Amino acid sequence: MREIHTDEIRDTVARLCMEACYYLPEDILAGFKKAEAKEVSPLGKTIINQLIENAELAAAEHVPYCHDTGMTVVYAEIGQDVHIVGGSFSDSINAGVRKGYQEGFLRMSVVGDPLLRVNTNDNTPAVIHTDIVDGDRIKFTLLPKGGGSENMSAMKFLLPGEGTEGVKKFVIETIEAAGGKACPPVVVGVGIGGTFDKVTAIAKEAVLREVGVHHHEPHIAELERDLLEAINRTGIGPQGLGGVSTALWAAVETYACHITALPVAVNIQCHAARKKSAVL
Amino acid sequence: MARDAAHKRMIELLGNNEPLPVDLRQEIIFYAGPCPPKPGQVIGSTAPTTAYRMDPYAPAMYEYGVKGTIGKGPRRDSIKEACREYGAISFAAVGGLSAILSKCITAVEIVAYEDLGPEAIRKLEVRDFPVLVAYDSYGNDLYEQEIAKYRTLGDGVT
Ligand code: SF4
């Protein structure tokens, strides 16, 4: 049994909020550079170059690369031999979000009630996903998610017989409906299988996969390659202003599902692809 | 600078024939909500928000006298028509180019709806602020034009 104090959790979450918003992940930056080299639209090339410059400027000045610093999605993989002391686990995560957004000069983008719409002014509450795993550590992964791309995400139950082609069709429809609204070049996270709740959860986990890394199963990796190619042939391009770099990457996660069902979810991650992890 | 919540309030005022809290005739609205400024910054990171969310409000704002709007992403056909009808322009700036664009803003002042926090109406002075004409007053649509040049996908998925 290892003890972890809630103060430590709070401070770690606060640090991750700031780092995720200031420093664009390396794999995304590398993805920009690769896309820039391939882009045939002059305007598209200019936009990608501006995004690279923007990420470098933000990192140098420790300011957010995108102003929409999002709703904070927090993944906690909690080792079953950890004992949390000092207070409530979820309170300490929210305290960390509050601290990170206030001290980091991040934008408060959360309203407390979806219909009354009054800003909570501290970006809480976070969306918290916990998983109990082996070991005596806690791994936190933060995904502060901007509204523009999240709003363009979609879920659908296909008929099982629609299979791979049906999945491709739904993904492309979702990307085309999103167009420039989701701030391409995007990372596309696709979930296939599970239940209504599970399929969206794995689509979001897919977004966290490193750009350039395929699924371990060959038929899913092949689907990822096909999806990426088709997405980049839509012509949408950077910011929806035309080009061949609509997506940097397409990642698919799957789960077992019911004999009657083929659920598919598409979670779109804009170019401000914030993700940052730490292990306690 | 004004976005969803401020538009909602302004449209209500226009509907009741009441004056807006600031005169926006002949002005350009930047659809955005900034990060708070760090000490020493004029404004925190800033870039346009998705323009289509203001589509229900924009025609009435153009009719009222707003000359242009700056947002990101494609908009509904009603915007194309409204731009033509009222001689307005819908501009696009690069979404998420927020560290760079904040440097093009030289002065900022909250002029209405301070209670809305990042959604308050702000008056901005800008220098060399990069925008593109997305929808002009003649019915042209930059998104449609540019995407058509690079689309190689058939009607199916391959
Ligand atoms: S969609 Fe992403 S990059 Fe675009 S404004 Fe929102 S958070 Fe920023």
Side-chain angles (χ1 to χ4, degrees):
Chain A
M1 189 71 73
R2 191 170 150 254
E3 288 193 347
I4 296 182
H5 199 278
T6 46
D7 286 355
E8 208 183 332
I9 295 173
R10 177 199 61 209
D11 293 346
T12 304
V13 169
R15 176 173 62 81
L16 292 176
C17 289
M18 294 187 242
E19 291 181 359
C21 293
Y22 297 166
Y23 314 121
L24 189 75
E26 282 301 322
D27 62 325
I28 304 296
L29 205 51
F32 281 170
K33 291 180 179 160
K34 229 171 127 184
E36 195 275 336
K38 275 199 213 154
E39 185 51 73
V40 291
S41 151
L43 180 54
K45 248 189 193 315
T46 305
I47 292 171
I48 302 172
N49 275 319
Q50 285 179 328
L51 293 177
I52 294 170
E53 205 187 306
N54 185 64
E56 288 168 354
L57 177 66
E61 301 201 344
H62 315 292
V63 297
Y65 39 88
C66 174
H67 62 282
D68 179 0
T69 47
M71 186 159 194
T72 323
V73 181
V74 180
Y75 292 91
E77 293 162 63
I78 308 168
Q80 59 191 15
D81 297 326
V82 170
H83 179 208
I84 294 158
V85 295
S88 134
F89 179 68
S90 53
D91 286 354
S92 65
I93 291 181
N94 282 316
V97 168
R98 188 173 300 120
K99 185 172 150 78
Y101 277 66
Q102 279 168 352
E103 293 177 8
F105 297 92
L106 308 180
R107 194 183 73 175
M108 306 305 178
S109 311
V110 173
V111 291
D113 180 294
L115 296 176
L116 302 177
R117 306 203 73 79
V118 179
N119 199 305
T120 61
N121 281 323
D122 61 6
N123 224 57
T124 66
V127 173
I128 305 170
H129 298 282
T130 52
D131 198 8
I132 306 294
V133 299
D134 287 342
D136 61 358
R137 304 192 156 260
I138 307 179
K139 180 178 180 189
F140 288 103
T141 301
L142 255 69
L143 173 63
K145 190 71 173 64
S149 56
E150 191 74 354
N151 280 340
M152 296 296 126
S153 302
M155 185 270 171
K156 192 177 180 186
F157 281 98
L158 305 181
L159 301 177
E162 292 181 80
T164 307
E165 285 311 305
V167 169
K168 286 185 195 168
K169 192 162 164 272
F170 179 60
V171 173
I172 297 300
E173 276 168 18
T174 306
I175 296 296
E176 297 220 285
K181 299 193 273 274
C183 279
V186 296
V187 172
V188 183
V190 180
I192 310 174
T195 46
F196 182 70
D197 48 335
K198 183 71 179 175
V199 74
T200 54
I202 60 177
K204 185 159 251 105
E205 283 165 25
V207 154
L208 288 168
R209 174 125 47 89
E210 194 180 323
V211 168
V213 176
H214 276 297
H215 195 275
H216 61 273
E217 286 184 276
H219 70 294
I220 302 298
E222 191 188 325
L223 174 60
E224 290 173 340
R225 275 188 281 271
D226 289 352
L227 284 175
L228 185 63
E229 198 207 317
I231 291 166
N232 285 334
R233 291 177 62 190
T234 58
I236 295 168
Q239 286 294 307
L241 287 161
V244 298
S245 341
T246 305
L248 301 176
W249 198 243
V252 179
E253 294 294 339
T254 61
Y255 200 79
C257 65
H258 193 273
I259 48 176
T260 61
L262 178 54
V264 185
V266 184
N267 193 212
I268 304 182
Q269 171 61 65
C270 56
H271 65 71
R274 309 175 185 95
K275 51 186 177 184
K276 189 82 195 170
S277 299
V279 178
L280 286 185
Chain B
M1 175 185 270
R3 43 172 292 154
D4 309 60
H7 273 82
K8 193 156 184 260
R9 289 187 187 179
M10 289 193 285
I11 289 296
E12 258 176 54
L13 292 174
L14 288 178
N16 298 333
N17 274 323
E18 287 175 50
L20 300 191
V22 272
D23 190 351
L24 294 178
R25 284 169 297 186
Q26 306 302 318
E27 301 288 346
I28 291 174
I29 302 181
F30 178 25
Y31 297 146
C35 284
K38 271 193 162 179
Q41 277 187 315
V42 173
I43 192 168
S45 293
T46 307
T49 197
T50 321
Y52 89 102
R53 284 202 323 277
M54 262 51 75
D55 287 358
Y57 314 122
M61 296 301 287
Y62 293 143
E63 186 183 3
Y64 155 79
V66 167
K67 277 295 145 203
T69 52
I70 306 171
K72 62 143 164 125
R75 310 187 70 171
R76 291 182 203 165
D77 287 344
S78 55
I79 300 302
K80 232 186 269 187
E81 284 151 29
C83 283
R84 201 162 26 189
E85 191 170 344
Y86 303 112
I89 296 176
S90 177
F91 296 98
V94 175
L97 195 69
S98 312
I100 289 182
L101 292 183
S102 68
K103 298 247 177 207
C104 306
I105 297 168
T106 52
V108 58
E109 182 193 343
I110 294 185
V111 288
Y113 304 149
E114 191 162 3
D115 61 298
L116 294 179
E119 300 204 57
I121 301 182
R122 290 168 167 82
K123 180 179 161 189
L124 307 179
E125 279 172 35
V126 301
R127 196 181 48 223
D128 298 335
F129 192 96
V131 293
L132 297 158
V133 175
Y135 302 92
D136 64 15
S137 320
Y138 305 100
N140 291 307
D141 176 341
L142 184 67
Y143 289 99
E144 219 172 70
Q145 282 170 19
E146 290 299 314
I147 290 173
K149 291 186 198 165
Y150 304 101
R151 188 183 163 88
T152 55
L153 196 64
D155 284 340
V157 281
T158 46

